[in-house]
Amino acid sequence: METSIRKQKREKETISEMRNKYTALFERNLHCIYVHDFEGRFIDANDATLSLLGYKREEIDNLSIFSLIHEDQLPIALATIKEIMGSGSQRQLTEYKVRNKNGDYVWIKTDGGLIYREGKPYAIQGVACDITNRKSTAAALEESERNYKELVQSVNSIILKLDTKGNVKFINNFSLEFFGYTENEIIGKNVIGTIVPKTESSGRDLAAIIRDLGLHPERYINNENENMRKNGQRVWIAWTNKGIQDEVGNILEILCVGNDITERKETEKALRESEEKFRTLAESAPAAIVIVRGEQFLYVNPAFGSILGFTKEEALAMRCWELVHPDMQALVKERELARQRGESVPDRYEIKALTKEGQARWIDLAAALINYGGQTATLALAYDITESKRARNSLQAREQELKDKRHELEEMNSALRILLKKREEDKVELEEKIQFNTKQLIEPYLDNLKRTPLSPRQTSLLDIIKANLEEIISPFARNFSSTKYKLSPQEIKVASLIRQGKTTKNIADLMSLSPRTIDFHRTKIRQKLGLKNKTDSLQSYLLSLK
C-alpha cells in the first residue's frame, strides 16, 4: 500500500514538473504560441503572440483567428485545421498574412497540432514565427528583379548573355525583333552562324574573336563588329562587353550590350568613297577645281595649272587674290571672305584672272562652302570662258534677231487663232441654220404628206425620210460621215435603219436588196465598229453612239 501511495506521489510530482516546464516554455518562448478551439476562437496565447498582434491578454477571448487572417488566405486556414483534426498535425508549414490591432499586416509561418484533455482532442496549438522582414526583403528583391527585367526588355538596345563558348543564355525583346528571331530559335544557340557571321566582310575571323571573348572579355570591353540578321542582312553593332565572375574569379557568362551603328558605318564608307570619287573626278576634270580657306589654297587640281600656268606647289604658296586681275581683286576678296563668314553672296559669277605670263583670261567661277578637314572652306570650279566670251556679243545679236522673229510669229499665231475661232463660230451658225430650215421648211410638208392616203410602202418610206433627216442633223450622222469608222454610204444607210429597229427583211425590202446582202453589210459594220463578240447587240451599240 505504501509503495502504491509513493508511486502516485511521484507521478503527481512528475506531472507538476512537466506542467511547470510547459508553462515556462509557453510563456517565455520567443516564438508565438497560441491555442484556439476548432471554431478558431482563441483560448490562450503567450506574450510573443500578444506583442505581435498588439492585443492584451483579456482581449483575445473575443478574438477568432479567422478575423485576423487575410480573406484571400482563409481557404488555406480552413483546409489546414481540417487536416490537423484528421491527422493530428499539419504536413507542412503554412504562411499567413495576419492583421494586427493597428490594422497593419504581418506575415507569420505556422505549425500546428492537436492537444488533448482527458485523452480527447479539445483544441489546436499553433507555433508561429514572424517572417514579415523576410517577406518585405523578398518582395523588394522581386520588385527589383521585375524592374530590372522591365528595363532590359524595354530599352532600345541589344542585350545578350552568353556563356563562355558563345551560346546565348538570354536575349531581350528588342534584340529578337532587331535580328528577326523568336526566343526558341536563338536561346541555347551559338552566336556564330546566327547573329554573328563566321567571317566579316573585311575578312576578319569573327569566330576566333567570339572564342577569345569567352576567355578574355576584358580585351573586348568596347568592340565593333559586323553582325547578321536572320534574313542574311549584314549590320554593324558597337558592343560593350563585361565578364560576370563567380566568387573566385572564374568567368561564368558574358553580358553584351550593343547598339546599331550600321548607318554611321555606311556614312563613313560613303564619305571615304565620296572622297575617292572626288579625287578621281578632280584629277581628271577639264575644269580647274580649288579648295580655299581664308586667303590660302588648300588644294588645286591639274587643270588649274593647264589654264593659268602655275604648278601645284606655286599655287599652294601664294594667296588666291594674286591670280585675280587688279580691276577685280577687291570684289573677289570681299565676296570670298563674306562667303566663309556664312553671309549670302552670289555662288556663281565671272572674274578676270591673270596667267603666270600675265595674260588676262575670263573665268566662269562657281563656289560653295564645304566641310574640309573639320573646318569650313570654299570649293570652287573655274571654267576658261575667254573664247566663248568673245562670241557672246554675236550670240546676243543673233538672240535679239530671233526674239524679233518670235514676236512676229506670235502675232501671226494670234491672228490665226482669231480666224479659227471665227471659222468654228461660222460652222456652229451653219448647223443651226440647217436645223432651223429643216424644222421649218421640210418637216411641215412631210407631216402634211403623211396625212394623205398612202400605201404601207409609201408610209414606211416617208418614215425613213423623216428619220434620215433627223439623223443628218444629229451628232450620230456627223460621226458616221467622218473618217472615224470609215463606213461606206451604203453601210451608213443600213446602220441608220438598224438603229431605228428595222429587221434584216425590212431593210432588204426598203433598199430593194436581198437579205443576204443586208447580212453582209451587217457583218462589215460590226467589224468596223470592233464588235467581235456575237452576243453584243449591234442596235444597242449604235444607239449608244452620240
Side-chain angles (χ1 to χ4, degrees):
M1 174 67 85
E2 184 179 351
T3 302
S4 175
I5 293 172
R6 194 180 295 119
K7 182 177 179 182
Q8 289 178 359
K9 183 179 180 181
R10 284 199 304 270
E11 287 178 351
K12 288 181 180 180
E13 290 175 350
T14 300
I15 291 172
S16 176
E17 181 181 353
M18 290 179 63
R19 185 177 290 113
N20 290 336
K21 288 180 179 180
Y22 171 79
T23 300
L25 180 65
F26 180 85
E27 293 178 350
R28 298 176 184 176
N29 204 303
L30 296 178
H31 286 81
C32 300
I33 302 176
Y34 54 90
V35 179
H36 62 78
D37 61 20
F38 299 136
E39 282 73 38
R41 292 187 296 271
F42 277 99
I43 297 173
D44 198 1
N46 68 350
D47 290 343
T49 304
L50 297 172
S51 176
L52 179 65
L53 297 179
Y55 289 95
K56 296 179 181 179
R57 186 172 301 280
E58 58 269 19
E59 293 176 318
I60 66 171
D61 293 339
N62 299 319
L63 283 179
S64 167
I65 62 168
F66 298 125
S67 65
L68 303 178
I69 296 175
H70 192 278
E71 59 183 10
D72 291 343
Q73 297 176 309
L74 286 176
I76 299 175
L78 291 170
T80 302
I81 290 175
K82 185 177 181 181
E83 179 184 12
I84 293 172
M85 292 177 65
S87 62
S89 63
Q90 60 187 74
R91 290 193 301 271
Q92 59 184 13
L93 302 180
T94 54
E95 295 180 358
Y96 296 114
K97 187 177 181 182
V98 180
R99 186 177 63 253
N100 63 23
K101 186 176 181 180
N102 294 330
D104 299 325
Y105 280 97
V106 293
W107 279 91
I108 60 173
K109 178 180 282 190
T110 70
D111 191 10
L114 288 175
I115 56 176
Y116 297 81
R117 177 178 289 174
E118 297 179 359
K120 295 181 180 181
Y122 86 100
I124 295 175
Q125 178 175 278
V127 179
C129 61
D130 183 1
I131 59 170
T132 305
N133 290 336
R134 193 196 76 190
K135 278 286 187 179
S136 299
T137 303
L141 288 174
E142 289 178 3
E143 179 69 16
S144 176
E145 180 71 15
R146 183 164 59 253
N147 291 338
Y148 170 76
K149 288 182 178 180
E150 289 177 356
L151 175 64
V152 168
Q153 293 295 5
S154 62
V155 71
N156 288 335
S157 292
I158 300 164
I159 300 179
L160 305 172
K161 283 185 181 179
L162 309 178
D163 64 18
T164 56
K165 294 183 180 180
N167 298 313
V168 179
K169 298 178 66 177
F170 170 81
I171 182 168
N172 68 341
N173 293 335
F174 179 84
S175 305
L176 294 171
E177 185 176 348
F178 180 82
F179 287 112
Y181 285 96
T182 64
E183 193 172 36
N184 292 335
E185 292 175 324
I186 198 71
I187 292 295
K189 302 292 179 62
N190 199 280
V191 291
I192 297 297
T194 52
I195 64 172
V196 179
K198 292 182 179 179
T199 306
E200 205 169 64
S201 298
S202 62
R204 189 165 56 150
D205 189 348
L206 295 181
I209 289 177
I210 294 299
R211 289 194 296 270
D212 195 43
L213 171 66
L215 299 174
H216 306 286
E218 69 280 0
R219 297 177 181 175
Y220 304 92
I221 294 175
N222 294 296
N223 183 58
E224 294 180 1
N225 62 268
E226 199 173 37
N227 286 76
M228 180 173 61
R229 286 176 165 150
K230 184 180 179 181
N231 61 9
Q233 179 188 3
R234 296 292 181 100
V235 291
W236 277 88
I237 307 295
W239 294 101
T240 299
N241 303 301
K242 179 177 177 57
I244 308 300
Q245 302 175 338
D246 61 14
E247 62 274 5
V248 296
N250 296 318
I251 302 296
L252 297 177
E253 58 188 15
I254 315 296
L255 175 63
C256 309
V257 180
N259 289 287
D260 181 14
I261 58 169
T262 306
E263 185 175 350
R264 193 197 81 192
K265 283 286 187 178
E266 290 176 349
T267 301
E268 292 173 354
K269 181 182 177 182
L271 181 59
R272 289 194 301 271
E273 292 176 349
S274 177
E275 290 175 350
E276 292 173 1
K277 289 177 181 178
F278 170 78
R279 291 283 177 179
T280 301
L281 177 62
E283 296 296 314
S284 59
I289 299 177
V290 300
I291 297 176
V292 177
R293 182 180 295 129
E295 299 182 349
Q296 298 302 127
F297 286 110
L298 302 179
Y299 169 82
V300 296
N301 71 337
F304 175 88
S306 301
I307 295 173
L308 297 176
F310 294 95
T311 65
K312 177 181 179 181
E313 291 73 19
E314 290 172 333
L316 296 179
M318 63 194 302
R319 296 185 303 173
C320 57
W321 326 123
E322 297 175 17
L323 301 174
V324 183
H325 192 279
D327 295 345
M328 303 189 71
Q329 275 190 6
L331 173 65
V332 174
K333 182 176 181 179
E334 178 186 353
R335 286 185 175 180
E336 182 51 37
L337 292 178
R339 186 193 320 279
Q340 294 186 30
R341 290 194 300 267
E343 298 175 16
S344 178
V345 293
D347 57 5
R348 185 170 183 175
Y349 55 97
E350 296 177 1
I351 65 171
K352 189 160 57 172
L354 294 174
T355 67
K356 187 176 181 179
E357 290 75 23
Q359 296 177 344
R361 306 293 294 178
W362 279 98
I363 303 296
D364 182 8
L365 185 70
L369 291 179
I370 62 169
N371 184 300
Y372 187 79
Q375 298 183 42
T376 301
T378 298
L379 171 67
L381 279 73
Y383 295 88
D384 184 0
I385 58 170
T386 306
E387 299 302 326
S388 63
K389 195 170 181 65
R390 293 193 183 107
R392 188 173 299 174
N393 291 336
S394 60
L395 287 174
Q396 288 176 347
R398 179 60 177 162
E399 287 174 357
Q400 184 60 45
E401 181 183 351
L402 292 174
K403 185 177 180 180
D404 294 340
K405 289 184 177 181
R406 183 177 63 188
H407 182 67
E408 293 175 4
L409 287 174
E410 287 176 351
E411 290 181 345
M412 293 176 64
N413 285 336
S414 179
L416 182 58
R417 283 194 295 271
I418 293 172
L419 289 173
L420 290 175
K421 183 179 179 181
K422 184 65 171 65
R423 176 68 181 87
E424 186 65 27
E425 291 173 351
D426 291 343
K427 179 182 176 183
V428 173
E429 182 180 355
L430 178 60
E431 289 181 353
E432 290 175 350
K433 286 181 178 180
I434 292 173
Q435 290 179 352
F436 179 79
N437 291 335
T438 300
K439 294 290 185 181
Q440 299 296 323
L441 302 178
I442 298 177
E443 288 189 358
Y445 295 100
L446 291 177
D447 292 337
N448 290 335
L449 183 60
K450 192 171 184 179
R451 286 193 288 269
T452 62
L454 298 173
S455 67
R457 178 174 175 76
Q458 289 172 332
T459 300
S460 180
L461 290 172
L462 185 61
D463 290 340
I464 291 172
I465 291 171
K466 188 171 183 179
N468 286 342
L469 277 175
E470 292 176 356
E471 293 289 351
I472 289 171
I473 62 175
S474 71
F476 175 81
R478 289 197 297 273
N479 286 342
F480 268 68
S481 63
S482 67
T483 59
K484 180 179 179 181
Y485 299 106
K486 297 181 180 179
L487 298 183
S488 66
Q490 194 79 324
E491 289 168 347
I492 291 174
K493 293 179 182 178
V494 174
S496 296
L497 292 170
I498 293 172
R499 192 167 182 265
Q500 296 172 27
K502 304 297 183 182
T503 64
T504 298
K505 186 177 184 307
N506 294 147
I507 297 170
D509 292 341
L510 293 170
M511 296 183 66
S512 300
L513 297 172
S514 68
R516 186 174 180 182
T517 301
I518 301 305
D519 285 336
F520 174 78
H521 287 313
R522 276 180 174 272
T523 301
K524 296 297 289 183
I525 292 169
R526 293 181 70 89
Q527 291 174 353
K528 291 181 179 182
L529 295 179
L531 294 176
K532 298 180 180 180
N533 194 335
K534 293 182 179 180
T535 60
D536 292 336
S537 170
L538 179 56
Q539 182 189 8
S540 297
Y541 186 82
L542 291 170
L543 287 170
S544 69
L545 297 177
K546 302 295 183 183

